[in-house]
Amino acid sequence: MARVEPVVGEPAAVADLDGERAVLVADVHAGIEVGLRYERGVELDSRTGERRERLCDLIAETDADRLVVLGDLAHRIGAPDGDEREELETLVRAVTDRVPMTLVEGNHDAGVAEAFADDLDVIGPEGGLIGDSPGAVGVCHGHTWPDPGLLDADVVCTGHEHPQVRLEDAVGGSRVERAWLRGELDAAAFTESGDESDRAADAPELVVFPAFNERSGGTWVNVEGQSFLAPYLPAALPAADAYLLDGTRLGDYRRV
């Protein structure tokens, strides 16, 4: 059975697939500082170098054979150009000088697959399987309904949601932290048809990844009234635990 294990302290996980070790991340949003400048007029010091180094360090520390990005490698919605394209070129080159890189297309990746067709392995927005069955891992971004074939996986990994939890202390102080969501997947709620025939004999685990980019915001999953972004959430996770990046298990995310 495939296992997807978070890297303690990082918004990343490792999966061992038929002798190949993959490190998985979601929502890198390279170029976010450039995007905030032209979208909102917000000027922030760039952390692009730090994020690139973190990715490369993760590859080395986990002894990974491949990097898999679960969508939104880029921040800008549209074909990358200018400073953002330059940032992406530097990032892709830094990674692929070390290991092959797979991109699952997200809603922010329009034009990225085409622009870097010679450098990346690409899985379409509907997602796909990595590794051979049994033991395959399903991957998708989460902005659209996934391929029902992902239900053949042991574990399905998705991004897009940027899950976060809002934590309060006894004196009214609060902080927001990125979090993982993990639970048994409701197969019928995961597919657009909702057909019971799509239900797998053994339901896969669904893992919702925190955003790799710390500046990309997210869904406060434990705050009432927050709307989920993925079309299959929260219905496809009728019960799920939240975990902080340091591995702390918070229990049912709805009761945190």
Side-chain angles (χ1 to χ4, degrees):
M1 182 174 180
R3 294 181 63 85
V4 174
E5 295 296 337
V7 179
V8 176
E10 298 287 352
V14 171
D16 289 310
L17 307 163
D18 301 319
E20 180 181 71
R21 168 167 282 202
V23 59
L24 293 81
V25 299
D27 299 289
V28 175
H29 285 273
I32 193 170
E33 289 89 0
V34 177
L36 290 173
R37 188 187 313 138
Y38 65 67
E39 290 167 0
R40 304 182 188 178
V42 176
E43 293 284 347
L44 295 173
D45 292 338
S46 176
R47 294 180 183 169
T48 179
E50 296 171 31
R51 287 190 290 268
R52 184 174 62 248
E53 288 177 9
R54 282 171 59 210
L55 275 176
C56 292
D57 287 347
L58 278 167
I59 291 167
E61 291 167 7
T62 61
D63 197 24
D65 303 302
R66 176 175 297 275
L67 173 68
V68 179
V69 179
L70 302 174
D72 287 1
L73 173 63
H75 179 70
R76 183 178 182 180
I77 298 177
D81 62 9
D83 291 343
E84 186 186 38
R85 183 180 179 111
E86 183 177 340
E87 181 175 331
L88 281 165
E89 288 174 347
T90 303
L91 172 61
V92 170
R93 183 169 57 250
V95 170
T96 56
D97 280 349
R98 292 165 170 80
V99 295
M101 184 174 178
T102 297
L103 172 65
V104 184
E105 288 186 87
N107 53 305
H108 282 251
D109 293 321
V112 173
E114 182 179 355
F116 295 95
D118 294 334
D119 304 297
L120 305 174
D121 298 322
V122 178
I123 296 173
E126 71 284 353
L129 300 176
I130 55 176
D132 295 328
S133 295
V137 171
V139 291
C140 61
H141 180 57
H143 63 298
T144 188
W145 287 102
D147 182 343
L150 269 64
L151 295 172
D152 292 332
D154 292 330
V155 184
V156 176
C157 300
T158 186
H160 187 53
E161 202 64 53
H162 305 200
Q164 299 179 333
V165 289
R166 185 175 184 271
L167 303 175
E168 296 184 1
D169 60 29
V171 295
S174 66
R175 71 183 193 275
V176 174
E177 294 198 23
R178 287 175 286 177
W180 300 84
L181 298 181
R182 303 186 71 141
E184 185 175 298
L185 185 153
D186 184 315
F190 187 65
T191 59
E192 186 173 16
S193 68
D195 189 340
E196 287 293 322
S197 66
D198 289 330
R199 185 179 297 275
D202 296 312
E205 179 186 27
L206 181 62
V207 182
V208 185
F209 275 56
F212 187 80
N213 192 311
E214 74 287 354
R215 284 178 164 168
S216 58
T219 301
W220 293 4
V221 298
N222 64 327
V223 175
E224 188 174 352
Q226 285 277 297
S227 297
F228 281 75
L229 302 175
Y232 46 83
L233 291 177
L237 269 181
D241 287 339
Y243 298 81
L244 298 181
L245 298 191
D246 66 6
T248 301
R249 179 177 176 271
L250 301 177
D252 185 343
Y253 74 88
R254 298 172 180 85
R255 300 184 180 183
V256 173

